[in-house]
Amino acid sequence: MEAIVIKQFGSADEFYETEVDLPQVTDDTVLVGVNAFSINPMDVAARMGMLQAPFSDNWSFPLVLGWDFAGTVAKVGKNVTGYKAGDRVFGGIPSDHAANNGSYGRFVVTTPDTMAKIPAGLSFDQAAALPVAGGTAYEGIVENLNVKPKATVLVQGGAGGVGLFAVQIAKAQGAKVIATASAPHNELLKQLGVDQVVDYHKQTVGDVVKDVDAVFDTAGDIAGGLTALKSGGKLVTVGGQPTPEQTNLPDKSVSFQSTHATTATYEHVAALVTSGKVKIQLQTLPRSADNVIDAQKQVEAHHMTGKFVIHVKD
């Protein structure tokens, strides 16, 4: 099959298109033709050789990267129920996927518990933007922080791919939402319902925000988040690793989130989008190695708002 690959770890300029073996379906997996895929920071980390086990356990070169996909079921294993050829689906690929099984290829093989059907009203491009970013945000805000109505939540890195989902999901939960972001993102975040935006270039979050109930950190500023968190509050981070001292604070809970989104997670996120409670911020590019290179460079440099989606076909 055609795939956009790298032959070694390094810069974004390593991507090129070639033929690789079609990933093989087992009795318990599903083969999906890719209609769209998105670019995530973890894709950049993978390209640079920064992801260790379990991600790299089955990798070799040429390597097909990518986890997020939206597409059409081509074949199901004999033990799989609930899906059939022709179904429109979206989801993620297992962390330890084979070298030829990334979403930058024309086909992917995944498990039925890590994907969901695309609901009516959602395009392939929109669905492709949801799995990693939307799933991470939903798991953090709803499942790990258990945000309730009238709670005050601080989202650090509110304008990134995960952050934009997180602020909207927190608002959908009925929370007051504060976000850190640079000044150019202030208006967008206000339009999405954020109650207060802190410009981290000009202000230290702990100086202007106090006693929030929960912190969702996507920026790696755990120390800053803790200064804004009330005693008895909870901080969940996907942006950095807490120190032993931070995880053992007597009056505040700090934990790192290793996201494991499931079908139910994806269904919840998709329902928030189709109901209008969450708006997807995406930039779509047609499929080519050059556009993957461009998107990877912009994600790596943090020159993006929301998500980059590569459109493969309708």
Side-chain angles (χ1 to χ4, degrees):
M1 70 170 180
E2 293 177 346
I4 296 170
V5 306
I6 55 173
K7 60 182 177 182
Q8 63 185 8
F9 296 125
S11 76
D13 293 314
E14 297 292 337
F15 285 103
Y16 67 100
E17 187 158 358
T18 190
E19 291 282 332
V20 300
D21 291 338
L22 185 73
Q24 295 302 300
V25 180
T26 67
D27 290 346
D28 300 307
T29 59
V30 180
L31 178 69
V32 179
V34 176
N35 290 71
F37 62 90
S38 73
I39 311 289
N40 290 291
M42 67 186 293
D43 299 19
V44 174
R47 182 255 297 163
M48 297 172 70
M50 297 171 61
L51 293 187
Q52 306 303 315
F55 295 96
S56 57
D57 286 348
N58 299 309
W59 286 358
S60 59
F61 296 105
L63 174 61
V64 188
L65 296 177
W67 281 267
D68 280 353
F69 71 87
T72 308
V73 173
K75 185 178 180 181
V76 298
K78 68 178 184 181
N79 295 335
V80 174
T81 60
Y83 294 99
K84 65 182 185 304
D87 283 344
R88 299 168 72 248
V89 296
F90 73 109
I93 300 165
S95 298
D96 57 350
H97 69 75
N100 64 332
N101 192 32
S103 60
Y104 295 12
R106 291 284 187 173
F107 291 88
V108 294
V109 167
T110 192
T111 54
D113 61 330
T114 58
M115 68 180 195
K117 292 180 181 177
I118 300 175
L122 208 60
S123 70
F124 286 118
D125 291 351
Q126 291 172 314
L130 299 182
V132 169
T136 298
Y138 187 89
E139 198 165 308
I141 295 295
V142 177
E143 298 175 8
N144 290 335
L145 289 173
N146 193 25
V147 170
K148 300 294 186 183
K150 299 185 180 181
T152 300
V153 180
L154 169 65
V155 177
Q156 294 179 276
V162 175
L164 282 173
F165 281 110
V167 297
Q168 295 181 86
I169 292 169
K171 288 301 296 184
Q173 292 292 103
K176 175 184 177 182
V177 178
I178 304 167
T180 63
S182 59
H185 300 117
N186 189 310
E187 186 59 33
L188 171 62
L189 289 168
K190 289 293 183 68
Q191 290 174 2
L192 295 177
V194 173
D195 299 281
Q196 179 182 353
V197 181
V198 178
D199 182 351
Y200 60 82
H201 290 300
K202 296 180 179 179
Q203 299 172 303
T204 299
V205 66
D207 291 340
V208 293
V209 178
K210 298 292 185 183
D211 296 326
V212 300
D213 299 294
V215 176
F216 187 55
D217 169 51
T218 76
D221 183 19
I222 299 170
L226 285 171
T227 63
L229 185 65
K230 74 177 186 181
S231 179
K234 186 173 185 179
L235 182 151
V236 169
T237 180
V238 295
Q241 286 290 344
T243 65
E245 292 77 15
Q246 288 169 337
T247 56
N248 288 295
L249 290 172
D251 61 336
K252 298 177 182 181
S253 170
V254 180
S255 60
F256 175 79
Q257 174 180 307
S258 180
T259 303
H260 299 287
T262 63
T263 299
T265 305
Y266 296 142
E267 289 174 343
H268 286 308
V269 174
L272 287 168
V273 175
T274 56
S275 69
K277 294 179 180 178
V278 169
K279 294 178 174 62
I280 305 171
Q281 307 297 317
L282 61 84
Q283 300 179 52
T284 302
L285 300 170
R287 181 188 181 276
S288 72
D290 285 344
N291 281 339
V292 168
I293 290 169
D294 181 55
Q296 279 251 344
K297 286 181 176 178
Q298 293 198 55
V299 171
E300 183 178 357
H302 305 288
H303 292 160
M304 44 84 76
T305 301
K307 296 295 302 294
F308 272 112
V309 169
I310 303 298
H311 177 83
V312 179
K313 61 180 180 178
D314 293 323

